[in-house]
Amino acid sequence: MHKCVFKLKGFYSLVNNRNCSQLSSIRLLSTDLRFSIKDEVCEGRPLYLDAQATTPLDPRVLDCMLPYLTSFYGNPHSRTHAYGWESEHAVEKARMQVANLIGADPKEIVFTSGATESNNISIKGVARFYSGKKKHVITTQTEHKCVLDSCRALEGEGFKVTYLPVNQNGLISLENLEKAITPETSLVSIMTVNNEIGVKQPVAEIGRICKSKKVFFHTDAAQAVGKIPIDVNSMNIDLMSISGHKIYGPKGVGALYVRRRPRVRIEALQSGGGQERGLRSGTVPTPLVVGMGEACDIAISDMEYDHKWMEKLSKRLMDQIFEKLSHVIRNGDPVHSYPGCINLSFAYVEGESLLMALKDVALSSGSACTSASLEPSYVLRAIGADEDLAHSSIRFGIGRFTTIDEVDYTAQKCIHHVTRLREMSPLWEMVQEGVDLKTIQWSQH
Amino acid sequence: MHSRQQILSLYKSLMKESNKFSSYNYRNYALRRIRDAFRENMNLTDNNQITKIVKDGYRNLEIIKRQVLIGDLYKSDKLVIENVKLLA
């Protein structure tokens, strides 16, 4: 708050210095002072454009789950009666469905509570198991918080962690990765599709490098599985985290792929009854797992169809916004990215005020985990976005159930409010006047 | 072997049932998906494949009927976009 006041003071002194106080009165006159956000908010629930945070449950998935929430309540690990057998059968079918989606063997799938747990098990589990000889882990600066935090925990245990920087387009440099791998390295963990900027890392190439250097490769594919084709064998992936609720499945379930040949060994984090080959003890939640299996099954048959839809909608959204607004920057590589995730920075507009104005569209400025804080996203800072642009970013998440009308409505509202907020902004006015903001020496900071 | 009429009536009932989804997003997705699937498979000639797909269609029809019911039990308010249309 203090900073803002100083900045404003700085602005006025600057305006006076430049003898253009006339300018600010013109601005005041041209701003619609009667505007009230309350007049603009329409009745009804907001539209959902935050498909990276979570996706709605597909009705087909719910239909498969319901019998296991009502009649078939057996514990899948009960071997002595029919209740257990029918649940076990359902769990094994779901395991096969998940395995089919990623080209794995059903025995290589471990059910967990979500991608966060899968990431924790793979990073801490592998690093700790091989800690006798190897005490180095490589990851990137743009990973999800749970990967970074797991690595932070390992650092506390005496491991060395390399956080690879990313290029301006959000992709890692394969040369840097190759250089970072040492004989000490036990694991490389790089996410497939970034949750904030939608960038697709070159997973197949990374897998090849890791294989040639005999290092285990873990990828957090929560945002990628079911949306882009993934084959763990052709991509040389050793461990992969999957989430249920990002692929129109239920929340609270995920999976971990662990390669069997050559075998990846893991120190389990949770002690207990030894379910899931001892890697993740605890009763497997049959209804959730069945739902995730069905979600994977739908993803196999509908991936291509859904992907075309995402491409169509994201193109439509961007065409409309870029046509009507200048100074809009797309964060992340435009080619190597998943079309359902578009991260845009609207220069000279504060992201939070735009989100508040867009009350009837559910959007986010970045990851849901960090949406409570006003700090700019660490992912955007890692790709070298300027502080002001990092503050003005908005993520548009398009999903299977998004309609053309919703995209048009969002684009139209977005253009309207960005224009309105820019009209109020002294910075925008100076840019229109041809002042390069970077050259300004703010008097007090 | 399915006659043209049988398939058309399956299409009609799928569309009719999907139209009953109370959720805007589910309804629009179902209508779009059914329309595109029938268009995509319009020129199929392999009888085994047709039988399989038609069977799938009937299975989906049952799912839609059940899910429409569940959707009606736990309705939410209409979306902004639906209300805008009503006004316009």
Side-chain angles (χ1 to χ4, degrees):
Chain A
M1 188 64 209
H2 252 61
K3 249 186 184 170
C4 283
V5 173
F6 282 136
K7 271 192 181 169
L8 264 181
K9 274 186 189 163
F11 166 72
Y12 284 120
S13 64
L14 182 102
V15 165
N16 290 330
N17 289 345
R18 287 167 50 86
N19 288 331
C20 50
S21 54
Q22 204 189 352
L23 215 131
S24 56
S25 48
I26 292 173
R27 183 171 62 79
L28 191 70
L29 288 173
S30 64
T31 308
D32 185 4
L33 292 176
R34 285 160 307 164
F35 175 82
S36 160
I37 193 78
K38 280 181 189 153
D39 301 339
E40 296 230 342
V41 175
C42 300
E43 285 284 305
R45 277 170 71 78
L47 309 180
Y48 191 75
L49 261 94
D50 199 8
Q52 275 69 45
T54 189
T55 50
L57 195 66
D58 193 299
R60 289 166 285 189
V61 172
L62 179 60
D63 199 71
C64 280
M65 288 169 65
L66 278 169
Y68 295 92
L69 287 161
T70 49
S71 319
F72 309 124
Y73 48 79
N75 184 325
H77 313 292
S78 299
R79 288 288 168 84
T80 50
H81 49 68
Y83 286 84
W85 301 332
E86 61 200 14
S87 291
E88 189 196 11
H89 179 73
V91 168
E92 291 317 311
K93 185 184 165 203
R95 203 185 297 281
M96 203 178 64
Q97 288 169 321
V98 176
N100 283 345
L101 178 60
I102 57 170
D105 187 278
K107 286 181 189 142
E108 297 174 311
I109 304 293
V110 173
F111 287 115
T112 63
S113 68
T116 292
E117 191 185 350
S118 300
N119 285 334
N120 270 273
I121 294 177
S122 19
I123 292 167
K124 291 179 187 162
V126 169
R128 283 180 190 159
F129 191 92
Y130 295 95
S131 65
K133 283 180 188 157
K134 297 174 165 187
K135 295 209 97 168
H136 180 221
V137 172
I138 298 173
T139 186
T140 70
Q141 291 176 353
T142 55
E143 290 299 306
H144 190 267
K145 267 264 155 30
C146 65
V147 170
L148 295 175
D149 232 41
S150 297
C151 290
R152 198 65 74 197
L154 286 178
E155 279 183 301
E157 293 168 25
F159 287 86
K160 232 183 87 201
V161 181
T162 306
Y163 300 92
L164 287 177
V166 292
N167 299 330
Q168 281 216 318
N169 57 8
L171 295 170
I172 63 150
S173 128
L174 295 173
E175 269 174 49
N176 279 353
L177 172 66
E178 245 180 314
K179 272 186 226 152
I181 297 177
T182 66
E184 278 260 275
T185 312
S186 61
L187 181 76
V188 170
S189 176
I190 294 171
M191 76 202 311
T192 314
V193 169
N194 187 277
N195 55 321
E196 290 196 26
I197 52 178
V199 162
K200 264 194 285 192
Q201 298 290 355
V203 174
E205 282 83 1
I206 298 169
R208 197 167 35 79
I209 292 173
C210 291
K211 195 182 181 191
S212 69
K213 302 246 177 182
K214 296 204 165 55
V215 178
F216 290 125
F217 173 37
H218 165 254
T219 184
D220 172 6
Q223 300 284 354
V225 167
K227 295 169 184 172
I228 56 171
I230 287 183
D231 185 289
V232 285
N233 291 319
S234 70
M235 290 173 163
N236 292 311
I237 295 168
D238 294 311
L239 299 122
M240 181 160 75
S241 306
I242 307 169
S243 175
H245 72 108
K246 312 276 190 200
I247 51 171
Y248 312 95
K251 290 162 191 61
V253 67
L256 173 63
Y257 160 80
V258 188
R259 182 172 288 284
R260 275 165 80 91
R261 279 197 201 97
R263 192 165 168 205
V264 183
R265 312 212 42 190
I266 292 178
E267 196 185 292
L269 300 185
Q270 193 161 306
S271 321
Q275 290 91 346
E276 300 295 285
R277 290 190 285 130
L279 293 178
R280 204 278 186 180
S281 288
T283 302
V284 170
T286 319
L288 301 183
V289 162
V290 166
M292 185 167 160
E294 176 67 12
C296 288
D297 217 35
I298 297 169
I300 294 174
S301 59
D302 279 18
M303 190 186 296
E304 210 181 311
Y305 178 80
D306 282 344
H307 200 270
K308 271 188 204 145
W309 185 244
M310 301 304 144
E311 272 173 6
K312 185 177 166 181
L313 291 190
S314 68
K315 188 174 175 299
R316 196 178 171 98
L317 181 71
M318 282 194 291
D319 282 354
Q320 290 183 38
I321 289 178
F322 282 108
E323 191 201 323
K324 293 273 171 59
L325 294 173
S326 58
H327 296 81
V328 182
I329 296 112
R330 176 162 188 196
N331 296 308
D333 195 282
V335 182
H336 298 281
S337 65
Y338 170 65
C341 177
I342 309 164
N343 193 314
L344 300 178
S345 281
F346 299 92
Y348 318 113
V349 171
E350 215 260 318
E352 296 298 326
S353 31
L354 184 53
L355 283 180
M356 297 236 291
L358 290 167
K359 263 203 165 56
D360 39 13
V361 186
L363 290 164
S364 163
S365 55
S367 131
C369 317
T370 49
S371 59
S373 88
L374 288 173
E375 279 287 295
S377 137
Y378 64 92
V379 174
L380 293 181
R381 272 190 293 195
I383 63 170
D386 288 335
E387 187 87 354
D388 56 329
L389 284 178
H391 267 292
S392 59
S393 78
I394 292 208
R395 179 182 70 181
F396 298 88
I398 297 166
R400 179 183 286 164
F401 299 106
T402 311
T403 65
I404 291 184
D405 285 344
E406 285 180 302
V407 165
D408 289 352
Y409 183 88
T410 307
Q412 184 203 327
K413 282 271 161 169
C414 191
I415 292 164
H416 170 70
H417 286 294
V418 168
T419 317
R420 184 179 63 82
L421 289 168
R422 277 181 179 171
E423 270 170 13
M424 289 198 276
S425 156
L427 294 177
W428 174 246
E429 190 183 8
M430 284 157 79
V431 171
Q432 298 301 87
E433 291 285 312
V435 180
D436 184 0
L437 294 182
K438 291 225 170 81
T439 60
I440 296 173
Q441 289 287 311
W442 300 103
S443 51
Q444 278 167 308
H445 239 315
Chain B
M1 188 60 202
H2 295 274
S3 70
R4 190 184 152 78
Q5 237 168 358
Q6 270 176 312
I7 290 175
L8 270 179
S9 103
L10 171 64
Y11 177 75
K12 273 185 194 153
S13 8
L14 278 168
M15 295 298 268
K16 195 178 143 209
E17 286 303 318
S18 300
N19 235 327
K20 295 183 188 162
F21 266 118
S22 68
S23 148
Y24 165 86
N25 294 87
Y26 289 166
R27 182 173 64 243
N28 279 285
Y29 169 75
L31 294 173
R32 168 170 67 88
R33 189 71 190 92
I34 293 162
R35 201 177 296 130
D36 288 346
F38 274 81
R39 199 168 291 162
E40 191 188 307
N41 297 321
M42 206 165 60
N43 299 321
L44 282 186
T45 46
D46 180 2
N47 265 330
N48 290 334
Q49 214 182 344
I50 294 175
T51 314
K52 191 179 153 273
I53 291 179
V54 169
K55 207 179 138 199
D56 238 31
Y58 280 111
R59 198 175 54 89
N60 272 311
L61 181 60
E62 293 308 308
I63 295 178
I64 293 169
K65 281 180 181 166
R66 286 194 294 266
Q67 290 302 310
V68 164
L69 271 177
I70 293 174
D72 277 342
L73 292 176
Y74 303 97
K75 260 190 250 180
S76 66
D77 293 342
K78 276 194 170 8
L79 291 186
V80 168
I81 199 160
E82 295 174 275
N83 292 327
V84 167
K85 265 190 198 152
L86 287 178
L87 291 176

